[in-house]
Amino acid sequence: MLSIMKQYEQRADTSFAHAIDVGHLTRQTMGDRSLEREVLELFRRQSRILMFRLEALTAPKDRAGVAHTLKGSARGVGASRVAFAAEELERAAQHGEPTGKALAELAESVAEVTSAIELRFGLDS
């Protein structure tokens, strides 16, 4: 049983380190593990809400604004892939370009990060 738990913990740590820049997050939270958890839980909830908004919006200007918000939040916690994808969506929306591919990439990166956060802290989806 201990071996299974150890494997689970290693999987959670690997998944998390792939999705979040742990060094950046540690600097942002000053090494406070409870603050880290709180910040990540807030990011997890906010990113899901913002993704629902993005999927419901059709006006490029509106999508750009929501993507900008998500980009800033992602940078704050060290979710670089999410920040990059949000920045690309923001750029495409501002230039009147199609946003479908950028939105799909953003959705995938948000799913990866939220899954890693849930796995690390044992949260329900």
Side-chain angles (χ1 to χ4, degrees):
M1 183 69 168
L2 183 59
S3 174
I4 292 171
M5 286 304 295
K6 191 70 170 166
Q7 289 174 354
Y8 177 83
E9 289 171 5
Q10 288 174 341
R11 183 172 150 237
D13 289 345
T14 300
S15 174
F16 187 78
H18 179 73
I20 299 284
D21 179 341
V22 177
H24 176 81
L25 180 63
T26 300
R27 285 188 303 279
Q28 293 295 97
T29 60
M30 298 162 286
D32 183 331
R33 295 292 296 221
S34 63
L35 180 57
E36 174 185 305
R37 181 180 177 136
E38 183 179 344
V39 165
L40 289 172
E41 286 181 18
L42 287 170
F43 175 75
R44 175 179 160 255
R45 282 193 299 272
Q46 181 191 36
S47 64
R48 286 183 169 171
I49 291 167
L50 293 175
M51 287 306 301
F52 282 121
R53 285 187 189 160
L54 282 169
E55 291 170 0
L57 295 169
T58 56
K61 182 179 177 184
D62 294 337
R63 275 192 170 174
V66 174
H68 181 80
T69 299
L70 185 51
K71 176 180 71 175
S73 295
R75 285 182 176 163
V77 300
S80 302
R81 184 172 170 221
V82 173
F84 178 78
E87 183 173 36
E88 182 57 27
L89 176 60
E90 179 183 17
R91 187 202 59 74
Q94 287 173 336
H95 291 94
E97 298 172 6
T99 58
K101 183 177 178 185
L103 183 59
E105 175 65 25
L106 182 57
E108 183 180 311
S109 63
V110 166
E112 176 187 48
V113 169
T114 57
S115 177
I117 292 168
E118 290 163 1
L119 189 60
R120 180 172 180 119
F121 296 112
L123 304 171
D124 291 330
S125 302

